[in-house]
Amino acid sequence: MMKRRDLIKAAATGFVAAPLSLAAGSVQAASTTRLRMQTLYGTETDDLYKSFAEDVKTSSNKSLRITRFRGSELVPNDQMLDAVGKGTLDMCQGYGGYWAGQLDIAKIESGIPGAWTSFDEAMYVHKAKGLGDLIREAYAEKGAHYLGPVFGGPYDLLTKEPVNSLADLKNMKIRATATVGAILQKLDIPTVYLPSQELYIALSTGAIDGVIYGGSLEYKALKLHEAAKHYTYLNMINPGYADGMLINKAKWDAMPPEHQKILELAVAKHSREMHAWNVNGCLDVNGEGIFEFGALPAEDSKALTVAAMDVWKEEASKSERNAKAIQALTDAAKATGRA
């Protein structure tokens, strides 16, 4: 019997398969363009990126090829923006929170808590409310072209000891990106940033007490359940994070329109497939019994929301572009009845 995750993945594939196949017939394979692409992830996503590369190859009549490298194989994950801008990498799927010091809109792009509550709302704010255009403008200044968001799934807390309230976290050291760290620090919760490949050892040795990195699927993939089993729902944002698909801008500008369109369609399809894989994978893992689940009290969830709104104001003050981005989030929240 087909698992629910596979069923939804198949549905996502069918959603955009037709445009990709239509594009294939219009491309003449005169010469081959090869793109080296690094992602954040390891072997657990090999099938997804193989499908992405195959879509591009087939739709371009083999004239556009992508070679994918796993996380940090060519450059450290937090240096991918710089590498794409300089052309060391042709493409990457990266996380804006890793380069928040380089890009004014990075924290907002990566999924600032409270920004959206569903995949549809996240797509609405990017497409209809113009957030994607603002992000694209910012990356262009760094020598990269933004192809679009790739949304993850749940984004919650995993700790070695049970967490019953935010007060418990004040005696722990939590791994968090700059985006979430800014909120936790307002609540006097110590945070530190570590790359994903260091999380297992850091938890095992007691260097950190918990992580906010993703959902149960990612935590299992990194084998973090061997060192920490207490999973706490934070309910700050869903989808919990947004990666960005980037390509070197000079490389993009030199491409024929047919290749550009093929990449855009393939990224849109990949984005939906990866989101479905993540969400449904978490549901599968949740039923395995390797984590113990809990949630914060309502008053603590409200405290997180208040702290997030303070961060929204701080982000809006950083630049005119950020102010427009926060206004887009605010307008989307009003349109969906959240504000």
Side-chain angles (χ1 to χ4, degrees), residues 108-269:
I108 301 172
E109 178 218 345
S110 59
I112 190 167
W116 45 72
T117 59
S118 69
F119 177 82
D120 288 343
E121 187 181 349
M123 291 300 295
Y124 171 70
V125 74
H126 276 76
K127 299 285 188 179
K129 304 309 293 183
L131 180 58
D133 292 335
L134 294 170
I135 296 169
R136 189 167 294 109
E137 175 186 88
Y139 275 114
E141 295 170 3
K142 302 297 180 181
H145 176 74
Y146 177 72
L147 285 163
V150 183
F151 294 107
Y155 197 66
D156 293 311
L157 172 68
L158 185 70
T159 52
K160 296 168 69 71
E161 300 296 330
V163 172
N164 297 310
S165 68
L166 289 176
D168 293 340
L169 296 178
K170 294 182 179 181
N171 299 315
M172 299 182 184
K173 183 180 288 185
I174 304 300
R175 180 272 185 195
T177 61
T179 309
V180 176
I183 293 170
L184 297 184
Q185 288 160 20
K186 289 183 176 296
L187 300 169
D188 298 322
I189 297 169
T191 66
V192 64
Y193 170 74
L194 293 172
S196 59
Q197 61 267 28
E198 296 179 19
L199 298 183
Y200 182 89
I201 293 176
L203 279 171
S204 299
T205 60
I208 59 175
D209 303 293
V211 304
I212 300 175
Y213 175 76
S216 56
L217 179 65
E218 286 111 333
Y219 292 149
K220 180 187 177 183
L222 294 172
K223 298 184 178 180
L224 300 190
H225 60 287
E226 296 178 359
K229 64 179 182 179
H230 297 282
Y231 186 108
T232 304
Y233 293 105
L234 296 177
N235 298 319
M236 287 195 296
I237 183 172
N238 181 37
Y241 59 91
D243 292 341
M245 189 74 82
L246 307 176
I247 184 170
N248 175 267
K249 191 172 187 305
K251 180 83 71 171
W252 171 260
D253 289 342
M255 280 185 176
E258 294 86 357
H259 279 180
Q260 291 181 344
K261 179 56 66 176
I262 285 168
L263 277 178
E264 288 173 344
L265 289 170
V267 167
K269 175 183 174 183

Side-chain angles (χ1 to χ4, degrees), residues 16 57 159 222 277-278 328:
V16 289
K57 175 183 172 182
T159 52
L222 294 172
W277 165 81
N278 195 311

Side-chain angles (χ1 to χ4, degrees), residues 282-335:
C282 285
L283 292 175
D284 286 345
V285 172
N286 290 355
E288 294 178 5
I290 61 175
F291 295 110
E292 295 183 12
F293 295 93
L296 293 175
E299 59 268 24
D300 283 358
S301 293
K302 183 177 180 180
L304 283 173
T305 300
V306 170
M309 292 303 101
D310 286 343
V311 172
W312 279 35
K313 294 175 184 176
E314 292 171 6
E315 290 301 310
S317 69
K318 289 183 177 180
S319 68
E320 182 179 349
R321 177 164 52 221
N322 277 23
K324 291 179 180 178
I326 292 298
Q327 187 61 53
L329 295 182
T330 303
D331 290 345
K334 289 179 180 177

